[in-house]
Amino acid sequence: MQSNLAKSERRNVASGYHFSPEATRNIGIMAHIDAGKTTVTERVLYYTGRVHRVGEVHDGTAAMDWMEQEQERGITITSATTTCQWMDHRINVIDTPGHIDFTAEVERSLRVLDGAVAVFCAVGGVEPQSETVWRQADKYKVPRIAFINKMDRTGADFFRTVEMMIERLGAQPIPIQIPIGSAETFNGIVDLVKMKALTWEDCDFGMEVHEVPIPDDMKDVVDDYRSRMLELIADWDDDLLVKYLEGEEISEQNVNDGLRNATIAGDIVPVLCGAALKNKGIQPILDSIVSYLPNPREVSAITGMNPQTDVMEERLPDENQPFSALAFKIMTDQHVGKLTFFRVYSGVLAKGAKVYNSSTRKVERVNRLLQMHANRREDREVVYAGDIVAAIGMQDITTGDTICQMDAPIILESMDFPIPVISIAVEPETKSDVDKMNIALARLSEEDPTFKVHQDPETNQMLLSGMGELHLEIIMDRLSREFKVSANIGQPQVAYRETLSRHSIVDKKYVRQTGGRGQYGHVCMEVYPIDKGVGFEFVNEIKGGAIPSEYIPAIRKGVESAMGAGVLAGYPIVDVGVRLFDGSYHPVDSSEMAFSVAGSMAFKEAVRKASPILLEPIMKVEVIVPDDYLGKVMGDLNSRRSQILDTEVRSKSHVQVIKAYVPLSGTFGYVKTLRSLTQGRSTHSMEFSHYSLVPQGIFEEVVSAKTSAEDNKSVI
């Protein structure tokens, strides 16, 4: 059998963009780092005719890894969009990063996608970042198919990876393929839907798919897994259920219908396998995207708030509906300026039209519409419901904003991003770099919602905050290369937090008389700890007009301002509640400013009385280490104040998996240390887990360092 590609001419997809929603698939490729996402994507683009040469991650030629930093490091840093065609369907693809430092790219991509292909390494199985991206997909109810890659690698275990999907992800995987052999004996797959064995040849770059008989020694296991597949999907197709129970012949269409219905409902995950680098197993992925993942009309209609009526409304993926879209990514292009990536949920938009940003309440003009292929652009005249495109011209727009028609406003649900956990101090080398740095940092923070820039009020240092060492390293590299900014960089700093250990009550007056009108604000408040992760709670219990209602927002503003710098070491205060229960005002001297100051002063005094404590970020770390180096790695982790959670022996591959909680401060430089201890044979991943109480010794060091910095500043 020839593949769909080989049967027809490879098409130039740039020529026709208007596909019906039914013939559209918006999908993402997601995975743990080094599982082979980009390699899979490159093959997808080649077999669909989108590109005419396969790029490789290892030699820096992958089309989707277009940034210099991506090509040099062999990792995906930013999500890249493209489009291709298969079986008369248009597939919009977003290739997402696998490294935890760039998880925001995955988050915002999944927000606008209708389906996803989750790629797993057959050797590593379900790894920590796999769990993270899976939870993100669960959050947005994104249907998935799974591809177990690298079946040609030593230690590959398809069936173990399927079991790990159940254990670690809580998923219901259904193998619709099983491998023929593994590692050096991997020779193809058995398609349980078609009941055919599929093989590929190296001589034609995997272009042709060959159907061959199922090997005799696999018939029992094939029959077993086909029965399991049919049992699980029978509930989703009445015709299939009747045939299965009565022992009648079940058609391929019956199976496909059942798989499609159950996948779109989110109840099952069809599982495929192959070896992308060896060009084996990619065409069935494309077939499965079309067959099992939903089109825009098969997912729940997008809903949003009408800002004029405060009523929730639905927008259907129909050209006759009012235009609505969500901006999910901002990027600065040195040639065309600001690029806004957005998903069109309803209606039609033409080049040159004006749109209404309902989030900012501003009207903007769309000068150009672009179909993106990584960093390459193709102009569009019109975009339709279901499209994922970019626009030039919109300036006052940020990630998560809704654009729509002025006469049919709607605000779609935005996105939440994790808070940065690590900071570095940076200063320009020369005066000429100051302005360039400010402009560059503003653009980079606009692009990346998890990158923050702020100035330390005590030291006046410029602090850059991000999700990890690699994240900030990439930022600094971009500052130098793209924006030509020379800067001195300080050592990484931990983003500590402060909170309360008990409640306290204060009665605080702010009174100033400077001749003429004075300032008067009087508040009585209680502060108290609240549940972890809640952040802030403000309760107004003022009765009888003790404080006029127009001053209450000013008090809250003053409290929130004071929360930005704690009383122990100047770190933000989190997970605190404030109950405002009494106070007084002056009919002449009271003002919003006076009550804002009074609120700030009262809050700080109350915090000091409430036994404040210091919290540090804790990372969840997973290390895969060969048996020979286990002792060295465990010893090093213990020296970093780690809490070992579990060790798992993988006897077939002679490696062990260590799971641990490690304070962020203990992870600095870990990559180099681990490489040195294990001669480069170990891999690891980490992600932010939670904040925890700082040990007394570390607490004293942090506070002492802060005090020393303040003393030095006062001397200067």
Side-chain angles (χ1 to χ4, degrees):
M1 179 192 80
Q2 288 191 329
S3 69
N4 292 295
L5 173 63
K7 285 181 176 178
S8 61
E9 292 185 14
R10 300 165 77 216
R11 296 184 261 186
N12 182 356
V13 301
S15 60
Y17 288 109
H18 190 194
F19 284 74
S20 68
E22 289 82 1
T24 297
R25 300 290 185 271
N26 291 315
I27 65 108
I29 312 292
M30 64 184 207
H32 185 279
I33 190 171
D34 202 33
K37 299 178 311 304
T38 302
T39 302
V40 169
T41 307
E42 292 294 317
R43 269 65 182 172
V44 164
L45 298 181
Y46 181 71
Y47 295 139
T48 58
R50 177 69 259 190
V51 300
H52 299 282
R53 185 177 72 86
V54 174
E56 301 291 5
V57 175
H58 57 265
D59 59 16
T61 59
M64 303 303 282
D65 286 348
W66 58 270
M67 294 176 64
E68 290 182 39
Q69 294 88 348
E70 293 177 317
Q71 294 169 356
E72 290 172 358
R73 299 164 190 265
I75 62 171
T76 301
I77 293 169
T78 184
S79 56
T81 65
T82 188
T83 188
C84 57
Q85 292 180 25
W86 187 257
M87 294 171 55
D88 297 320
H89 286 67
R90 185 263 312 270
I91 304 175
N92 295 319
V93 182
I94 301 182
D95 180 30
T96 64
H99 198 287
I100 186 63
D101 284 16
F102 311 108
T103 189
E105 294 287 330
V106 184
E107 179 87 17
R108 59 185 175 189
S109 298
L110 288 170
R111 171 66 177 82
V112 299
L113 293 172
D114 302 323
V117 179
V119 182
F120 300 94
C121 172
V123 181
V126 177
E127 300 183 78
Q129 183 61 5
S130 308
E131 298 178 47
T132 301
V133 297
W134 197 268
R135 289 195 299 271
Q136 290 171 310
D138 283 341
K139 175 182 176 181
Y140 295 113
K141 297 180 173 62
V142 178
R144 280 142 276 178
I145 61 175
F147 177 68
I148 298 178
N149 191 27
K150 302 189 179 182
M151 286 302 308
D152 58 319
R153 293 272 298 274
T154 301
D157 192 332
F158 172 83
F159 301 103
R160 171 176 168 71
T161 303
V162 172
E163 288 299 315
M164 291 176 75
M165 291 178 66
I166 299 172
E167 296 167 3
R168 296 192 178 186
L169 305 178
Q172 181 56 75
I174 295 183
I176 62 173
Q177 300 173 354
I178 58 174
I180 302 173
S182 65
E184 66 275 1
T185 64
F186 176 67
N187 190 42
I189 62 171
V190 175
D191 188 321
L192 301 177
V193 178
K194 297 180 178 181
M195 288 300 284
K196 298 283 187 180
L198 308 179
T199 63
W200 290 261
E201 300 294 336
D202 295 333
C203 58
D204 65 351
F205 216 77
M207 189 72 70
E208 189 171 329
V209 184
H210 300 273
E211 286 188 357
V212 298
I214 297 171
D216 291 337
D217 61 351
M218 290 189 66
K219 287 184 177 179
D220 288 344
V221 70
V222 166
D223 289 341
D224 180 37
Y225 272 88
R226 178 167 168 92
S227 295
R228 294 187 196 183
M229 176 186 73
L230 295 176
E231 285 177 11
L232 288 167
I233 62 175
D235 291 338
W236 291 94
D237 188 283
D238 292 338
D239 189 23
L240 188 151
L241 178 60
V242 171
K243 289 182 177 180
Y244 180 75
L245 292 175
E246 295 180 358
E248 297 180 19
E249 184 178 348
I250 297 172
S251 70
E252 184 178 327
Q253 189 61 51
N254 286 146
V255 179
N256 280 327
D257 289 346
L259 283 168
R260 181 174 185 82
N261 293 335
T263 302
I264 292 174
D267 287 347
I268 68 161
V269 181
V271 182
L272 302 87
C273 60
L277 191 62
K278 297 294 179 63
N279 312 304
K280 296 177 180 179
I282 303 300
Q283 293 94 335
I285 296 177
L286 287 160
D287 291 341
S288 297
I289 289 170
V290 172
S291 298
Y292 309 133
L293 292 180
N295 65 57
R297 286 183 174 162
E298 291 176 309
V299 296
S300 301
I302 196 73
T303 60
M305 181 74 72
N306 185 324
Q308 295 177 343
T309 63
D310 290 335
V311 174
M312 295 298 292
E313 295 180 359
E314 277 190 353
R315 293 289 170 85
L316 301 174
D318 192 300
E319 295 172 18
N320 298 316
Q321 289 267 305
F323 171 75
S324 66
L326 184 73
F328 67 93
K329 180 180 173 75
I330 306 296
M331 190 177 84
T332 301
D333 187 288
Q334 58 181 343
H335 301 292
V336 299
K338 188 172 181 177
L339 280 173
T340 303
F341 290 76
F342 60 94
R343 158 75 186 268
V344 183
Y345 283 102
S346 62
V348 178
L349 178 66
K351 180 180 72 174
K354 290 183 178 179
V355 294
Y356 179 61
N357 185 334
S358 55
S359 304
T360 63
R361 299 182 181 181
K362 293 185 178 181
V363 176
E364 302 223 44
R365 182 181 295 278
V366 178
N367 296 330
R368 290 174 65 187
L369 290 168
L370 304 172
Q371 190 71 55
M372 300 298 295
H373 176 55
N375 65 327
R376 296 190 290 279
R377 305 173 295 274
E378 297 163 357
D379 280 281
R380 296 273 304 267
E381 296 296 319
V382 184
V383 295
Y384 306 88
D387 281 344
I388 295 177
V389 292
I392 299 171
M394 292 183 283
Q395 297 302 317
D396 192 13
I397 189 168
T398 59
T399 299
D401 284 358
T402 301
I403 53 175
C404 55
Q405 291 178 199
M406 175 71 85
D407 59 354
I410 191 170
I411 300 177
L412 305 176
E413 182 184 356
S414 188
M415 291 163 274
D416 298 319
F417 297 102
I419 59 173
V421 296
I422 184 174
S423 301
I424 56 172
V426 62
E427 62 179 20
E429 284 189 355
T430 65
K431 289 184 178 180
S432 63
D433 287 313
V434 174
D435 290 340
K436 288 196 298 182
M437 175 178 283
N438 290 335
I439 293 170
L441 292 176
R443 289 181 179 175
L444 290 170
S445 59
E446 187 177 48
E447 288 184 15
D448 185 350
T450 60
F451 171 61
K452 304 295 184 184
V453 182
H454 64 282
Q455 198 160 18
D456 188 313
E458 300 293 334
T459 64
N460 286 324
Q461 283 183 307
M462 183 78 73
L463 298 179
L464 311 185
S465 302
M467 300 306 298
E469 286 184 281
L470 179 61
H471 187 195
L472 293 178
E473 188 181 321
I474 296 296
I475 291 289
M476 296 308 302
D477 194 46
R478 291 187 65 189
L479 270 179
S480 174
R481 293 196 196 193
E482 294 178 32
F483 299 96
K484 312 301 180 189
V485 174
S486 298
N488 298 316
I489 308 167
Q491 291 297 313
Q493 301 174 8
V494 178
Y496 293 99
R497 295 289 185 267
E498 299 181 20
T499 192
L500 315 180
S501 60
R502 61 183 182 88
H503 80 105
S504 71
I505 294 176
V506 296
D507 182 325
K508 191 70 176 179
K509 286 184 180 180
Y510 172 65
V511 183
R512 290 288 185 274
Q513 196 68 46
T514 56
R517 183 176 177 178
Q519 296 288 338
Y520 182 92
H522 174 211
V523 298
C524 299
M525 67 172 60
E526 178 189 19
V527 300
Y528 51 92
I530 59 177
D531 293 340
K532 289 182 179 179
V534 174
F536 176 55
E537 176 180 278
F538 185 86
V539 180
N540 176 22
E541 292 186 355
I542 296 295
K543 297 177 182 177
I547 301 175
S549 59
E550 62 263 31
Y551 295 140
I552 303 300
I555 296 171
R556 175 167 182 158
K557 184 179 178 181
V559 169
E560 289 178 334
S561 174
M563 287 176 63
V567 300
L568 293 175
Y571 293 102
I573 300 172
V574 297
D575 301 333
V576 60
V578 172
R579 182 174 69 91
L580 180 67
F581 61 88
D582 202 0
S584 64
Y585 73 102
H586 190 281
V588 176
D589 291 347
S590 286
S591 65
E592 289 186 0
M593 186 185 77
F595 273 102
S596 178
V597 174
S600 176
M601 292 171 63
F603 178 77
K604 287 184 177 180
E605 185 174 317
V607 169
R608 291 189 184 94
K609 292 181 178 180
S611 302
I613 55 178
L614 194 66
L615 305 174
E616 64 178 341
I618 304 296
M619 311 300 287
K620 185 179 181 181
V621 176
E622 185 167 297
V623 186
I624 301 176
V625 55
D627 293 339
D628 296 345
Y629 302 100
L630 179 64
K632 290 182 179 179
V633 173
M634 290 283 282
D636 179 70
L637 284 171
N638 289 328
S639 71
R640 298 172 184 269
R641 296 194 289 121
S642 301
Q643 177 190 351
I644 306 298
L645 302 175
D646 187 28
T647 56
E648 177 188 346
V649 180
R650 297 184 183 174
S651 55
K652 288 186 178 180
S653 51
H654 303 287
V655 299
Q656 299 206 36
V657 182
I658 306 168
K659 300 174 185 177
Y661 285 142
V662 186
L664 176 65
S665 59
T667 67
F668 295 158
Y670 186 62
V671 175
K672 292 180 180 177
T673 301
L674 183 64
R675 190 179 297 132
S676 174
L677 288 174
T678 65
Q679 299 180 359
R681 294 178 58 195
S682 287
T683 61
H684 86 290
S685 60
M686 67 176 71
E687 62 179 325
F688 171 74
S689 176
H690 61 279
Y691 274 91
S692 181
L693 180 66
V694 171
Q696 185 62 31
I698 305 296
F699 168 80
E700 292 172 358
E701 288 179 15
V702 173
V703 174
S704 175
K706 189 71 174 179
T707 305
S708 298
E710 292 175 356
D711 291 344
N712 292 335
K713 181 185 174 186
S714 62
V715 170
I716 294 171

